[in-house]
Amino acid sequence: MDFIKGKIESEAIRFSEAKSHIGQVVKVQGTVHKIRKMSGFAFVILRSARDLMQTVYSVEFSKFDLNSISEGSSIVVKGLVVEDQRSPIGCEIQMHYVEVLSKPYEEMPIIINYKKLDVNLDTNLQYRPLALRNPRERAIFKLQEGIVRGFRDYLQKQSFTEIHSPKIVGAGAEGGSNIFTLDYFGKEVFLAQSPQFYKQMMVGVFERVFEVGPVFRAEKHNTSRHLNEYVSLDIEMGFIKGFEDIMNLETDLFKHIFELLDSEYKNELELLKVTLQKIDQIPSVKFMEAKEILAEKFERNIADFEDLEPEEERLLCEFAKKEYNCPFIFVTHFPSSKRPFYAMDDPNDPNYTLSFDLLLNGLEITTGGQRIHDYNEQLKKIEKKSLNPDDLQSFLMIHKHGLPPHGGFGMGLERLTMQLLGFQNVRNTSLFPRDINRVTP
Amino acid sequence: MDFIKGKIESEAIRFSEAKSHIGQVVKVQGTVHKIRKMSGFAFVILRSARDLMQTVYSVEFSKFDLNSISEGSSIVVKGLVVEDQRSPIGCEIQMHYVEVLSKPYEEMPIIINYKKLDVNLDTNLQYRPLALRNPRERAIFKLQEGIVRGFRDYLQKQSFTEIHSPKIVGAGAEGGSNIFTLDYFGKEVFLAQSPQFYKQMMVGVFERVFEVGPVFRAEKHNTSRHLNEYVSLDIEMGFIKGFEDIMNLETDLFKHIFELLDSEYKNELELLKVTLQKIDQIPSVKFMEAKEILAEKFERNIADFEDLEPEEERLLCEFAKKEYNCPFIFVTHFPSSKRPFYAMDDPNDPNYTLSFDLLLNGLEITTGGQRIHDYNEQLKKIEKKSLNPDDLQSFLMIHKHGLPPHGGFGMGLERLTMQLLGFQNVRNTSLFPRDINRVTP
């Protein structure tokens, strides 16, 4: 009988700790990122989870054959830490011995050790498991981790409870044409398009809930801003006084996320040359006022009075940036005709809803609003939308037996990452994107 | 133009803050959980996200009609905080005024305000959105939040990066009979059974990764410990010295989770009458030794030399509890025949793998081990398992171009919750369970 005590021994120090070991012999481990051979010596750049570090091979002090390692080898280096002012971490290591933990069998089909990956998007995605080893590529997803972490940390401090709702759903899904169907032991079921019903159900349980999880949309169009599977950041909040509470929460949330990224993800922001603008307040304009601004300031001929066109989202952000120096703008009071059956109508004008979109750098990143909590009001709206209440029984259960006033929002993680980091295609900010032509790797 | 500044105003205080307001008139908000009418007065129990609080209605000091509220109403109470030694929070509130925010239309089909929900499991699940309002029922999922939070917090401190891998997968899925297939624009694709391949791919990028996300298994049998969709807690860790590193990490992880639950989820543990035993170390036994123990100590006739039978898992935990006072036991070195193609064989005896299961209170909760990182070794094992390497191209890419030694584990959140809290059916610890007969609510 052995006993596992919960201690992991490692003699290797982290790259970031090396500077405090100048003059000492230490062990570091990592993957060989790049070898630059000079005459009589070589620079061997090691890659670890978040950093690069220069080690130096020389016939003078290295007691192994340089040919025993190659780009892609995982190695442990034993060597002397020496000061180096030019290095971003202030030191480099003179390699004495090397232990090879694993080795590659073939050269990379793409060059991952350029500063910027120099391949087109299709090639990047074809070789995704390798492309992501490029420090700039992986920085996108380290920052994405930071966004999710900021989202969770903030909401937990605001007494939100994290939930995990099912992704296989039966009757009562929102429906529409962009839903995936699935054979479930001979029965037709669906993949969840959003956790909307479940988060509303859970408002009756935990008052404030959030979820981070995949959602599925069978979009047939192949655009730069749509994915068929994406990670949705969702919140729902009970006992609100109005949908402005949700917008205030989201504003404060973004302040928190930006602060976290600035403090703990500095290297990654620098690698991607991204500066996050400090947010103090976010301008907010009603849907019809937004259309007026578009007509007046941009001499736009307004054709669609039910929704915002992509070009209009772009222009509104241009306006917010110019007039208020803000990359964000809220648009509120979208027409009832275009919002779902659970959206609460504005009591002052039921043609519009107590809802909002949040735009960032030219694109909608969030849809939210207040939901109907009253049973009769919900039944009436279901009727008005020509839906069948029988299909929504388990959802209506919560209204029938009492539900506080509530609202929330949903936000696609990949699209938010794209807008925040300034990418032009959402596939760049999806770890393994799914579109109409792509389900591998 | 309005401006959203990120501040939410609320005059209502939290139940837990009430005690510091004794003698003052305050506002509290919540849902009416229970009304107990006496002569001339009534106890009105309010429910908020995590607590209950007693408020008192009396013709003497209440300036509203008691009939204006009912069980299930969401209300704001304005009233005087008075000391009450019998109350768990040390005080109660004399109701002066009430503002009704929303009201129920029908009485509950199940009684949620008993201490323990007194319905069978089927009824519980049929009325799940209501059943979860019972404080004991929802405590299960508050604790589940705590488990996930402990998992993430711990791994983040150990420099793990959180990833989000796709749930729609094409060629290269693990396969087998328990996989769901899906029509994807005319093409047959699958729902992910685990993030295994993706987390191994990401070891080459971030060295240490974890994921919390849904996985899907088309299990046809309807047991008390299987679900067709569950939340999987997954980790994968590079630069390990051996699979013992993974077991040590998991042991330390559980110590952390238990501490977090004990410190921040005390009320919920008490509601469910659960005491978490302090873990110092976990006994670990090899698969064949485990079979010997079963034969010798329990006089069991061993029939299966390839896997552990459910009864054997139960007996091994009984053994660990009795001999070492530990609710956990590791079983290591499972036969190669029963482990997947990416499991690393034991160099001392390739009939067995460098793998482990972790058992808790009678049931397997984790499967893990070291994975093959060498390209040729992986190709050979694929051949031995009669699989086609062409189907695994994007997976093999990582081995071909260099991957550090690594390993990891996967753990079902609902099953872990069941074993930790002492439930007999995993449906009790799944928010909205999916089984062969159930896809709603």
Side-chain angles (χ1 to χ4, degrees):
Chain A
M1 185 66 54
D2 285 330
F3 293 92
I4 306 295
K5 293 185 196 298
K7 300 257 180 295
I8 302 175
E9 310 291 341
S10 173
E11 297 160 49
I13 63 163
R14 294 181 187 197
F15 295 180
S16 55
E17 296 164 350
K19 213 191 160 179
S20 60
H21 290 274
I22 285 173
Q24 295 170 22
V25 172
V26 299
K27 279 189 178 178
V28 291
Q29 64 191 14
T31 302
V32 177
H33 188 59
K34 193 177 209 160
I35 301 179
R36 271 197 297 153
K37 288 185 186 170
M38 320 297 268
S39 63
F41 72 105
F43 294 112
V44 178
I45 313 294
L46 279 191
R47 189 177 75 236
S48 74
R50 283 180 90 172
D51 306 290
L52 297 177
M53 184 184 213
Q54 182 159 291
T55 64
V56 184
Y57 174 92
S58 165
V59 285
E60 272 177 51
F61 49 71
S62 300
K63 290 152 189 122
F64 64 96
D65 180 0
L66 184 60
N67 292 320
S68 66
I69 62 172
S70 54
E71 290 178 359
S73 299
S74 296
I75 63 175
V76 183
V77 174
K78 192 175 170 185
L80 179 70
V81 185
V82 294
E83 199 169 357
D84 179 10
Q85 298 293 2
R86 291 158 306 175
S87 152
I89 55 168
C91 59
E92 60 180 26
I93 290 181
Q94 298 183 344
M95 307 172 94
H96 294 174
Y97 300 95
V98 143
E99 182 193 351
V100 179
L101 301 176
S102 80
K103 58 183 176 55
Y105 279 73
E106 273 183 30
E107 256 189 56
M108 291 267 180
I110 54 174
I111 300 171
I112 63 154
N113 58 21
Y114 289 161
K115 268 208 169 169
K116 194 173 167 175
L117 200 67
D118 188 22
V119 298
N120 67 32
L121 185 57
D122 267 346
T123 308
N124 179 329
L125 297 180
Q126 183 187 347
Y127 295 110
R128 198 64 166 162
L130 306 176
L132 291 167
R133 296 181 183 185
N134 173 266
R136 195 175 164 279
E137 288 295 313
R138 72 178 180 182
I140 300 167
F141 299 95
K142 195 67 194 177
L143 284 163
Q144 197 164 72
E145 173 206 66
I147 293 170
V148 174
R149 203 176 132 200
F151 179 79
R152 279 206 201 93
D153 285 357
Y154 176 81
L155 293 171
Q156 248 155 14
K157 279 191 197 105
Q158 303 296 322
S159 304
F160 280 72
T161 298
E162 183 173 13
I163 60 166
H164 304 278
S165 68
K167 305 309 159 201
I168 293 178
V169 294
E174 281 190 58
S177 62
N178 67 348
I179 194 162
F180 284 112
T181 58
L182 179 75
D183 172 55
Y184 191 84
F185 309 112
K187 193 176 161 178
E188 185 177 71
V189 301
F190 311 98
L191 290 185
Q193 296 160 300
S194 101
Q196 183 62 36
F197 296 171
Y198 293 102
K199 59 182 187 163
Q200 285 189 249
M201 289 175 191
M202 294 309 290
V203 162
V205 177
F206 288 126
E207 295 182 0
R208 299 175 168 198
V209 295
F210 72 92
E211 178 161 6
V212 178
V215 297
F216 306 89
R217 307 266 171 118
E219 314 272 6
K220 281 180 198 70
H221 41 294
N222 217 354
T223 81
S224 63
R225 62 186 198 283
H226 289 95
L227 292 166
N228 293 101
E229 174 180 347
Y230 65 88
V231 177
S232 186
L233 308 179
D234 271 277
I235 77 134
E236 202 72 21
M237 183 178 178
F239 290 97
I240 58 171
K241 289 202 160 58
F243 75 111
E244 296 85 358
D245 282 358
I246 309 292
M247 295 197 288
N248 272 302
L249 182 92
E250 189 169 14
T251 303
D252 204 33
L253 167 66
F254 271 111
K255 290 182 191 180
H256 176 85
I257 290 176
F258 281 24
E259 276 165 25
L260 180 71
L261 295 181
D262 264 338
S263 67
E264 298 199 27
Y265 296 82
K266 231 179 179 47
N267 286 350
E268 284 80 10
L269 287 172
E270 278 171 18
L271 259 179
L272 293 165
K273 298 195 189 353
V274 170
T275 313
L276 297 173
Q277 193 184 326
K278 202 173 152 8
I279 302 303
D280 182 38
Q281 58 183 14
I282 297 179
S284 173
V285 63
K286 287 187 176 185
F287 177 82
M288 282 309 291
E289 286 167 8
K291 291 285 182 179
E292 278 166 33
I293 290 169
L294 289 163
E296 283 169 25
K297 303 251 175 192
F298 296 95
E299 295 177 356
R300 191 173 167 82
N301 205 346
I302 305 300
D304 185 347
F305 284 95
E306 292 197 310
D307 212 343
L308 291 178
E309 299 180 37
E311 175 63 8
E312 293 175 345
E313 293 180 358
R314 206 187 60 69
L315 293 173
L316 284 171
C317 283
E318 194 181 311
F319 168 78
K321 187 77 191 168
K322 198 175 151 209
E323 299 283 323
Y324 306 104
N325 189 31
C326 188
F328 291 96
I329 182 170
F330 279 113
V331 181
T332 65
H333 297 86
F334 278 76
S336 292
S337 55
K338 281 286 175 175
R339 289 278 164 156
F341 72 89
Y342 47 77
M344 188 183 272
D345 290 335
D346 185 354
N348 297 319
D349 184 350
N351 289 317
Y352 297 90
T353 52
L354 299 176
S355 66
F356 67 88
D357 273 10
L358 179 61
L359 316 183
L360 168 62
N361 293 329
L363 198 62
E364 172 256 307
I365 55 159
T366 299
T367 297
Q370 182 158 2
R371 330 296 188 181
I372 298 170
H373 57 267
D374 183 85
Y375 182 55
N376 277 347
E377 189 179 336
Q378 183 61 86
L379 278 182
K380 267 181 211 144
K381 189 132 183 203
I382 286 172
E383 205 173 297
K384 202 173 147 190
K385 290 270 185 188
S386 307
L387 295 167
N388 185 352
D390 290 346
D391 295 340
L392 296 161
Q393 269 188 358
S394 62
F395 179 57
L396 286 168
M397 203 185 278
I398 56 176
H399 305 79
K400 195 190 282 177
H401 300 290
L403 194 61
H406 65 286
F409 66 77
M411 180 156 67
L413 176 60
E414 294 84 349
R415 191 188 281 191
L416 169 61
T417 311
M418 164 168 79
Q419 291 309 96
L420 219 49
L421 305 185
F423 282 88
Q424 299 303 315
N425 194 314
V426 71
R427 288 163 188 76
N428 281 115
T429 54
S430 168
L431 199 60
F432 295 95
R434 295 297 178 246
D435 63 33
I436 193 164
N437 300 313
R438 197 182 315 271
V439 286
T440 49
Chain B
M1 185 66 55
D2 285 330
F3 294 92
I4 306 295
K5 294 185 195 299
K7 300 256 179 296
I8 302 175
E9 310 290 340
S10 173
E11 299 161 49
I13 63 164
R14 294 180 188 198
F15 294 180
S16 56
E17 296 165 351
K19 212 190 160 180
S20 60
H21 291 273
I22 285 173
Q24 295 169 21
V25 172
V26 299
K27 278 188 178 180
V28 292
Q29 65 192 15
T31 302
V32 177
H33 188 60
K34 193 176 208 160
I35 301 179
R36 272 197 297 152
K37 289 185 186 170
M38 319 296 268
S39 62
F41 73 106
F43 293 113
V44 178
I45 313 294
L46 279 191
R47 190 177 75 236
S48 74
R50 282 179 90 173
D51 307 291
L52 297 177
M53 184 185 213
Q54 183 159 292
T55 64
V56 185
Y57 175 92
S58 165
V59 285
E60 271 178 51
F61 48 72
S62 300
K63 289 151 189 124
F64 64 96
D65 179 1
L66 184 60
N67 291 320
S68 66
I69 62 173
S70 54
E71 290 178 358
S73 300
S74 297
I75 62 174
V76 183
V77 174
K78 191 173 171 186
L80 179 71
V81 186
V82 294
E83 198 168 0
D84 179 11
Q85 299 292 1
R86 291 158 307 174
S87 152
I89 55 169
C91 59
E92 61 180 28
I93 289 182
Q94 298 182 345
M95 307 172 93
H96 293 174
Y97 300 95
V98 143
E99 181 193 351
V100 178
L101 301 176
S102 80
K103 59 184 174 56
Y105 279 72
E106 273 182 29
E107 255 188 59
M108 291 267 179
I110 54 174
I111 299 170
I112 63 154
N113 58 20
Y114 289 161
K115 269 208 167 168
K116 193 172 167 176
L117 200 66
D118 189 21
V119 299
N120 66 32
L121 184 57
D122 267 346
T123 308
N124 179 329
L125 297 180
Q126 183 188 347
Y127 296 109
R128 198 63 166 162
L130 306 176
L132 291 167
R133 297 181 182 184
N134 172 266
R136 196 175 164 279
E137 288 295 314
R138 72 179 180 181
I140 299 167
F141 299 96
K142 195 69 193 173
L143 285 162
Q144 197 164 72
E145 173 206 65
I147 294 170
V148 175
R149 203 176 133 200
F151 179 79
R152 279 206 202 93
D153 285 357
Y154 176 81
L155 293 171
Q156 249 155 14
K157 278 190 197 107
Q158 304 295 322
S159 304
F160 280 72
T161 298
E162 183 172 12
I163 59 167
H164 304 278
S165 68
K167 304 310 157 200
I168 292 178
V169 294
E174 281 191 58
S177 62
N178 67 348
I179 194 162
F180 284 112
T181 59
L182 178 75
D183 173 55
Y184 191 84
F185 309 112
K187 193 176 161 179
E188 186 177 69
V189 302
F190 311 100
L191 290 185
Q193 296 160 299
S194 99
Q196 183 63 35
F197 296 170
Y198 294 101
K199 60 183 186 161
Q200 285 189 248
M201 289 174 190
M202 294 309 291
V203 162
V205 177
F206 288 125
E207 295 183 0
R208 299 175 169 199
V209 295
F210 72 92
E211 177 162 7
V212 177
V215 296
F216 307 90
R217 307 267 170 117
E219 313 272 7
K220 282 180 197 71
H221 41 294
N222 217 354
T223 81
S224 62
R225 63 186 196 284
H226 289 96
L227 291 166
N228 294 100
E229 173 181 349
Y230 66 87
V231 177
S232 185
L233 308 179
D234 271 276
I235 77 135
E236 202 72 20
M237 183 180 180
F239 291 96
I240 58 171
K241 289 201 161 58
F243 75 111
E244 297 84 357
D245 282 358
I246 310 291
M247 294 197 289
N248 272 302
L249 182 92
E250 189 169 13
T251 303
D252 204 33
L253 167 66
F254 271 111
K255 289 182 191 180
H256 175 84
I257 290 175
F258 282 23
E259 276 165 25
L260 180 70
L261 295 182
D262 264 337
S263 68
E264 298 199 27
Y265 297 80
K266 231 178 179 43
N267 285 350
E268 284 80 11
L269 287 173
E270 277 171 18
L271 259 179
L272 293 165
K273 298 195 188 359
V274 171
T275 312
L276 297 173
Q277 193 185 325
K278 203 172 151 7
I279 303 301
D280 183 38
Q281 57 183 14
I282 296 179
S284 173
V285 65
K286 288 187 176 184
F287 178 82
M288 282 308 291
E289 286 168 9
K291 292 285 182 178
E292 278 166 33
I293 290 169
L294 289 163
E296 284 168 24
K297 303 250 176 192
F298 296 97
E299 296 177 355
R300 190 171 167 83
N301 205 346
I302 305 299
D304 185 347
F305 284 94
E306 291 197 310
D307 212 343
L308 291 177
E309 299 180 37
E311 174 65 7
E312 293 176 346
E313 294 181 357
R314 205 186 62 67
L315 292 173
L316 285 171
C317 284
E318 193 181 312
F319 168 78
K321 187 77 191 168
K322 199 175 152 207
E323 299 283 323
Y324 307 104
N325 189 31
C326 188
F328 291 97
I329 182 170
F330 280 112
V331 181
T332 66
H333 297 87
F334 278 78
S336 292
S337 55
K338 279 287 176 176
R339 290 278 163 156
F341 72 88
Y342 48 77
M344 187 183 274
D345 289 336
D346 185 354
N348 297 319
D349 184 351
N351 289 316
Y352 297 90
T353 52
L354 299 176
S355 66
F356 67 88
D357 273 9
L358 179 60
L359 317 183
L360 168 61
N361 292 329
L363 198 61
E364 173 256 306
I365 55 159
T366 300
T367 296
Q370 182 158 2
R371 329 296 188 182
I372 298 170
H373 57 267
D374 183 85
Y375 182 55
N376 277 348
E377 189 179 336
Q378 182 62 86
L379 278 182
K380 268 181 212 146
K381 189 133 182 201
I382 285 173
E383 205 172 298
K384 203 173 145 190
K385 289 272 184 187
S386 307
L387 295 166
N388 185 353
D390 292 345
D391 295 340
L392 296 162
Q393 268 188 0
S394 62
F395 179 57
L396 287 168
M397 204 185 278
I398 55 175
H399 306 78
K400 195 189 281 176
H401 300 291
L403 194 61
H406 65 286
F409 67 77
M411 180 156 69
L413 176 60
E414 294 84 349
R415 191 188 280 191
L416 169 61
T417 311
M418 164 169 79
Q419 291 309 96
L420 220 48
L421 305 185
F423 282 89
Q424 299 304 314
N425 194 314
V426 70
R427 289 163 187 77
N428 282 116
T429 54
S430 168
L431 200 60
F432 294 97
R434 295 298 178 246
D435 64 32
I436 193 165
N437 300 314
R438 196 182 316 269
V439 286
T440 50

